[in-house]
């Protein structure tokens, strides 16, 4: 069919993949996602979409060229959103080779899958690039002309992805672009990224389920936006009249400490900070108890400490509003979600305990 919009999303089970799927379905797209086989169910972010007529899933893996060639050939996408990645910076120090295979060579595999299927004139490609490319930053704030200085195995792998996208654009005239996205968070954020780790812990501590939250570098500065707002930008980048790269950020930065202070406030706990470095503590003003402490376990061999994006180009050329959701609103919505989640998990575990009790007493066969 001539004008049908068909999107293929790699990383569909992730935070961004789930929001992007919802966004594209609402625009009338046929949406296809690639998933990996796993021994446990990890599809909770897209469970509500499964069974939707325009939503389809296919098994493939970023490390397996043949599977990518086959799925691209079968789906015949008009747009590919390459979001799949080993996306945790700390983990990239533990698994640098896997990270390079998925986050660097994986991008090349997608580009070659498009060429192998002769779709280079009809299929536009979005690459999930990152502010981590600025790494040991050479200027603040960072824009599309700021030099890159990657500062982790993750960032080095993503730098390859950025340059191979640019190379295929220039060598083969393909419509492929990178969105250089700064940190974006949500109630669907993975639980080991600092924001979600904080909002979940604040909720648990407020409800008496956890005593203390251990964090690493509290001084680290990030430009945090809302993931739901950022997926719109991925789409806008592919609707632009020419293939270009864009910085996507809010233009506002905060420390990890500020995020924690606000998150605990929304959970009903006012924090007072005492001490410095490894000895710094966040104390509950009301009870005098230490509820946040620093642990060296969460320090990185090299840490990116000053990310601050300048979204002027995206504002002007894509008409995107970087302040749709403010930092304050973001923290509030994440804590509100996690307060309910912790309460619901507690209720569920009570039901579970009761069931176990009944089973033990032979009341349920
Ligand atoms: P995420 O929640 O960690 O999701 C990553 C996705 O990649 C998951 O669906 C994961 O599948 C998939 N994946 C990993 N390895 C794969 C493989 N070998 N084959 C197929 N799929 C694989 O990440 P996110 O926060 O949504 O981020 C989306 C993309 O944007 C990533 O490329 C990330 O590096 C980049 N990015 C994120 C941010 C941010 O702040 N969130 C900022 C800049 C750039 P499983 O569910 O099977 O693990
Ligand atoms: O939440 P983070 O782990 O995110 P990070 O490293 O900025 O990476 C995320 O954003 C990138 C965009 O800039 C993406 F490309 C990437 O895929 C990912 O989504 O850490 C944020 C900061 C770091 O400086 C870290 O050292 O928070 C600091 N931090 C302090 N304590 C901590 C902790 N980070 C984590 N994960 N856990 C801690 O306990």
């Amino acid at each position: 069919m001539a004008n049908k919009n068909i999107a293929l999303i790699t990383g569909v089970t992730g935070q961004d993949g789930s929001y992007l799927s919802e966004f594209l379905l609402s625009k009338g797209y046929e949406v296809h996602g690639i998933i990996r086989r796993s021994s446990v169910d990890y599809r909770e972010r897209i469970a509500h979409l499964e069974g939707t007529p325009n939503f389809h899933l296919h098994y493939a893996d970023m490390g397996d060229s043949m599977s990518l060639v086959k799925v691209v050939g079968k789906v015949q996408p008009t747009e590919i959103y390459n979001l799949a990645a080993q996306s945790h910076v700390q983990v990239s120090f533990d698994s640098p080779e896997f990270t390079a295979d998925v986050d660097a060579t994986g991008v090349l595999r997608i580009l070659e899958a498009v060429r192998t299927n002769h779709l280079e004139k009809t299929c536009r490609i979005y690459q999930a690039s990152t502010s981590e490319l600025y790494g040991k930053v050479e200027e603040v704030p960072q824009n599309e002309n700021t030099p890159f200085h990657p500062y982790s195995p993750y960032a080095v792998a993503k730098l390859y992805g950025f340059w191979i996208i640019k190379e295929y654009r220039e060598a083969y005239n393909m419509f492929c672009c990178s969105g250089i996205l700064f940190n974006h968070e949500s109630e669907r954020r993975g639980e080991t990224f600092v924001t979600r780790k904080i909002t979940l812990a604040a909720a648990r501590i407020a409800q008496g389920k956890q005593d203390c939250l251990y964090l690493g570098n509290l001084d680290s500065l990030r430009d945090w936006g809302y993931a739901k707002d950022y997926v719109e930008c991925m789409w806008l980048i592919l609707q632009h009249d020419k293939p270009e790269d864009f910085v996507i950020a809010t233009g506002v930065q905060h420390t990890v400490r500020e995020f924690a202070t606000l998150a605990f406030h929304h959970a009903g706990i006012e924090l007072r900070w005492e001490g410095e470095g490894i000895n710094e503590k966040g104390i509950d003003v009301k009870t005098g108890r230490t509820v946040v402490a620093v642990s060296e376990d969460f320090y990185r061999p090299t840490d990116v400490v000053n990310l601050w994006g300048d979204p002027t180009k995206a504002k002007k050329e894509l008409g995107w509003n970087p302040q749709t959701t403010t930092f304050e609103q973001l923290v509030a919505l994440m804590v509100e979600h996690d307060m309910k989640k912790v309460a619901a998990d507690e209720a569920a575990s009570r039901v579970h305990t009761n069931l176990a009790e009944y089973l033990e007493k032979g009341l349920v066969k």
Side-chain angles (χ1 to χ4, degrees):
M1 227 189 294
N3 292 321
K4 197 167 172 192
N5 290 317
I6 305 172
L8 176 64
I9 304 176
T10 73
V12 72
T13 55
Q15 171 189 258
D16 293 4
S18 64
Y19 285 122
L20 182 64
S21 298
E22 288 167 4
F23 177 83
L24 294 175
L25 286 168
S26 77
K27 293 228 164 269
Y29 276 65
E30 186 178 302
V31 176
H32 297 256
I34 73 164
I35 51 165
R36 304 189 277 175
R37 146 89 181 129
S38 165
S39 65
V40 286
D41 181 19
Y42 58 95
R43 296 193 330 227
E44 64 176 41
R45 294 188 183 103
I46 53 166
H48 60 295
L49 298 177
E50 292 188 42
T52 305
N54 273 336
F55 187 67
H56 311 275
L57 297 174
H58 310 263
Y59 282 109
D61 195 294
M62 296 306 290
D64 177 354
S65 308
M66 194 55 81
S67 69
L68 296 174
V69 169
K70 279 199 276 187
V71 77
V72 169
K74 185 172 172 198
V75 169
Q76 297 280 305
T78 56
E79 295 174 11
I80 293 180
Y81 294 86
N82 185 37
L83 311 185
Q86 189 303 93
S87 74
H88 203 284
V89 173
Q90 175 77 62
V91 172
S92 78
F93 289 97
D94 299 325
S95 291
E97 187 181 342
F98 172 73
T99 303
D101 190 42
V102 175
D103 298 14
T105 317
V107 186
L108 178 67
R109 292 189 184 106
I110 283 287
L111 289 164
E112 280 299 308
V114 169
R115 292 188 67 228
T116 305
N117 284 290
H118 309 293
L119 296 175
E120 59 267 56
K121 298 273 175 288
T122 53
C123 178
R124 297 184 168 200
I125 303 165
Y126 171 85
Q127 165 60 15
S129 194
T130 166
S131 49
E132 290 290 313
L133 299 189
Y134 300 119
K136 192 176 180 191
V137 299
E138 300 193 5
E139 66 180 17
V140 278
Q142 296 95 31
N143 63 34
E144 290 79 3
N145 300 315
T146 302
F148 297 137
H149 189 146
Y151 216 33
S152 65
Y154 167 80
V156 174
K158 283 282 186 178
L159 187 63
Y160 176 87
F162 178 88
W163 281 109
I164 201 69
I165 285 282
K166 203 169 158 57
E167 175 59 22
Y168 274 51
R169 183 159 78 211
E170 290 171 9
Y172 304 118
N173 210 17
M174 288 169 71
F175 196 111
C176 40
C177 320
S178 290
I180 305 174
L181 270 59
F182 282 63
N183 299 51
H184 44 281
E185 317 296 313
S186 74
E187 53 275 50
R188 294 185 196 168
R189 184 59 143 155
E191 297 181 8
T192 58
F193 295 95
V194 77
T195 56
R196 190 77 200 288
K197 184 173 164 182
I198 293 171
T199 59
L200 266 172
R204 286 196 190 112
I205 291 169
Q207 294 180 39
K209 304 282 158 224
Q210 184 175 329
D211 295 328
C212 186
L213 163 67
Y214 293 91
L215 293 172
N217 185 0
L218 297 172
D219 292 315
S220 191
L221 285 155
R222 285 291 183 276
D223 179 329
W224 280 296
Y226 187 31
K228 217 171 175 173
D229 301 338
Y230 282 38
V231 298
E232 183 197 4
C233 236
M234 298 176 185
W235 176 76
L236 285 171
I237 289 173
L238 290 195
Q239 312 316 306
H240 196 43
D241 49 9
K242 45 188 185 304
E244 283 183 17
D245 307 320
F246 287 86
V247 160
I248 308 300
T250 68
V252 180
Q253 65 173 182
H254 293 275
T255 60
V256 170
R257 187 185 298 99
E258 284 165 349
F259 191 103
T261 305
L262 193 55
F264 275 82
H265 165 77
H266 283 298
I269 298 172
E270 300 307 324
L271 290 185
R272 179 179 77 234
W273 294 95
E274 279 181 12
E276 271 180 31
I278 193 77
N279 298 315
E280 186 165 356
K281 293 187 185 338
I283 293 166
D284 179 343
V285 169
K286 203 159 127 199
T287 63
R289 277 179 41 224
T290 296
V291 288
V292 185
V294 175
S295 163
E296 271 177 1
D297 288 348
F298 302 109
Y299 284 169
R300 296 174 181 179
T302 47
D303 196 14
V304 173
V305 294
N306 196 0
L307 290 180
W308 181 13
D310 172 4
T312 306
K313 182 179 173 191
K315 239 162 59 177
K316 275 195 192 145
E317 293 189 26
L318 302 176
W320 181 66
N321 174 12
Q323 284 293 320
T324 307
T325 307
T326 64
F327 174 72
E328 287 71 20
Q329 289 168 326
L330 172 68
V331 180
L333 72 84
M334 287 178 71
V335 175
E336 191 186 337
H337 174 274
D338 284 339
M339 288 294 278
K340 287 187 193 145
K341 177 180 159 51
V342 171
D345 288 351
E346 165 66 7
S349 86
R350 266 205 309 272
V351 170
H352 203 250
T353 313
N354 290 344
L355 185 64
E357 227 171 75
Y358 291 144
L359 281 169
E360 213 175 19
K361 289 177 186 160
L363 298 176
V364 179
K365 301 285 181 200

